[in-house]
């Protein structure tokens, strides 16, 4: 599984606003803020919402600590998607959060 650290993603976002980020946290968690531009698809809804995810792009998967996004990454990889897990999740995210 490919991985990226929060600081690396924050730096990439400063120069590339076309990065696909998928936040798999629950609705109440995302209500406290998310990475700007991230698409919210809770982990439990992922199997039913695959049609919303472009197979031709790389997607950065995000959750609270990196565990659920790791599970999401494995699931999507098994279905032919190109994904990268953000290690440490939002607990390690230090950049500005969108509310």
């Amino acid at each position: 599984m490919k991985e990226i650290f929060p600081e690396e993603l924050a730096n990439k976002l400063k120069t590339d606003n076309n990065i696909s980020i998928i936040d798999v946290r629950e609705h109440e968690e995302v209500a406290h803020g998310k990475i700007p531009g991230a698409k919210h698809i809770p982990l439990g809804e992922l199997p039913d919402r695959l049609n919303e995810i472009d197979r031709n792009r790389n997607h950065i998967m995000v959750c609270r600590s990196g565990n659920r996004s790791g599970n999401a990454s494995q699931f999507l990889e098994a279905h032919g998607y190109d994904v990268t897990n953000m290690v440490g999740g939002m607990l390690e995210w230090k950049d500005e959060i969108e509310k």
Side-chain angles (χ1 to χ4, degrees), residues 1 20 35 39 49 57 61 65 69 74 83 95:
M1 173 185 340
S20 174
I35 296 173
K39 180 176 186 65
R49 295 178 63 184
R57 296 186 67 191
M61 307 306 293
S65 67
S69 57
Q74 290 177 336
V83 293
D95 239 46

Side-chain angles (χ1 to χ4, degrees), residues 6-76:
E7 186 176 322
E8 291 175 275
L9 179 56
N11 288 333
K12 281 186 173 200
L13 286 171
K14 290 174 183 164
T15 59
D16 184 356
N17 62 356
N18 195 30
I19 296 173
S20 174
I21 302 168
I22 300 175
D23 191 323
V24 297
R25 295 177 296 157
E26 295 300 318
H27 296 284
E28 55 274 1
E29 294 173 290
V30 172
H32 297 288
K34 64 182 178 64
I35 296 173
K39 180 176 186 65
H40 178 223
I41 303 178
L43 182 59
E45 296 177 19
L46 202 54
D48 296 326
R49 295 178 63 184
L50 289 178
N51 63 325
E52 297 177 36
I53 304 170
D54 185 346
R55 283 188 186 273
N56 299 314
R57 296 186 67 191
N58 174 260
H59 305 281
I60 310 293
M61 307 306 293
V62 175
C63 72
R64 181 178 171 271
S65 67
N67 291 327
R68 282 175 286 177
S69 57
N71 291 337
S73 294
Q74 290 177 336
F75 174 79
L76 289 171

